[in-house]
Amino acid sequence: DIQMTQSPSSLSASVGDRVTITCRASQGISNWLAWYQQKPEKAPKSLIYGASNLQSGVPSRFSGSGSGTDFTLTISSLQPEDAATYYCQHYNSYPITFGQGTRLEIK
Amino acid sequence: QVQLVESGGGVVQPGRSLRLSCAASGLTLSTSIMHWVRQTPGKGLEWLAVISLDGNSQTYTDSVKGRFTISRDISTNTLSLQMNSLTAEDTAVYYCARESGSSGRAGWFDPWGQGTLVTVSS
């Protein structure tokens, strides 16, 4: 199985900050990577697919990059509503696996 | 608007069975690849199962293979997850999700249902 490792596990940042979350795959997955945002008591919401493609309706301050084994999710200017937990997910093959999540707190 | 609504969760004793349902609206299951994913505080998000576009193929993660069965009813546009031989490790929030895009081998999910909580406890 492909293991997905996110870092950091949690972070705290201020409104307006640039925030970067990293996801590493245990083997190459090309660009078959998605990012999700999850708020408390809610289902995950898709943000990015294909490592860098923004899902429709997602604010342009979110962006994704990477290929192979190393990927990043960047929020260019943090907003209060971005407080959430973020997950990466590979879809290179079955079984699909997720990162353990990064909890983002607003200072 | 595409909407998925899970139901059937609850408290069940170890060793017993439970059937979850996912009612779809705004999409047709006969033209969708559908998945079940669960979430626990300890293990995070865990993909469980997928049913193919034609409904004739199912793939499972090892931890539920032989115990869980994914199926769909085209007439009611409902996805199901039959869960047998439940253990405490199956305690989780269970989500159904539509595959929105694919690598040709597996896919990513949008939308997700709101989830239904399953608690396995005596």
Side-chain angles (χ1 to χ4, degrees):
Chain A
D1 298 1
I2 298 172
Q3 308 303 318
M4 307 300 293
T5 304
Q6 287 182 233
S7 60
S9 296
S10 65
L11 75 152
S12 181
S14 300
V15 172
D17 282 354
R18 182 181 183 89
V19 170
T20 298
I21 297 169
T22 297
C23 178
R24 175 165 289 176
S26 61
Q27 65 188 70
I29 58 169
S30 185
N31 65 334
W32 306 122
L33 185 99
W35 288 96
Y36 300 90
Q37 176 192 66
Q38 186 178 33
K39 296 185 177 180
E41 308 306 317
K42 296 290 187 183
K45 170 191 168 187
S46 65
L47 296 176
I48 303 274
Y49 63 94
S52 61
N53 298 291
L54 201 64
Q55 172 72 325
S56 176
V58 174
S60 58
R61 63 181 180 273
F62 290 91
S63 64
S65 65
S67 183
T69 59
D70 294 317
F71 303 86
T72 58
L73 173 70
T74 299
I75 307 173
S76 60
S77 179
L78 192 64
Q79 298 302 302
E81 61 267 30
D82 299 335
T85 300
Y86 293 85
Y87 295 93
C88 61
Q89 174 229 326
H90 88 80
Y91 52 102
N92 183 76
S93 58
Y94 292 118
I96 290 163
T97 55
F98 294 83
Q100 81 280 12
T102 296
R103 184 176 178 183
L104 174 57
E105 174 192 271
I106 311 296
K107 286 180 184 175
Chain B
Q1 180 183 356
V2 176
Q3 189 173 18
L4 300 170
V5 179
E6 298 95 338
S7 61
V11 180
V12 59
Q13 293 180 328
R16 303 297 291 265
S17 299
L18 200 64
R19 187 178 185 88
L20 305 182
S21 295
C22 169
S25 58
L27 69 89
T28 304
L29 292 191
S30 61
T31 59
S32 301
I33 297 171
M34 299 296 294
H35 298 254
W36 285 97
V37 178
R38 69 185 177 187
Q39 185 171 31
T40 63
K43 291 188 70 176
L45 289 163
E46 180 182 21
W47 171 81
L48 299 177
V50 58
I51 187 165
S52 62
L53 200 58
D54 64 6
N56 291 328
S57 176
Q58 300 82 32
T59 304
Y60 301 90
T61 195
D62 284 348
S63 64
V64 306
K65 201 174 296 183
R67 299 190 301 125
F68 290 12
T69 302
I70 186 173
S71 62
R72 68 185 190 183
D73 185 335
I74 299 301
S75 65
T76 60
N77 217 33
T78 301
L79 180 74
S80 295
L81 185 68
Q82 176 67 39
M83 305 186 295
N84 299 332
S85 304
L86 287 164
T87 73
E89 285 66 45
D90 296 315
T91 294
V93 175
Y94 286 74
Y95 297 100
C96 61
R98 181 186 65 174
E99 181 170 299
S100 190
S102 169
S103 63
R105 296 174 296 279
W108 58 280
F109 311 126
D110 182 76
W112 299 54
Q114 87 288 352
T116 187
L117 176 62
V118 173
T119 302
V120 183
S121 174
S122 55

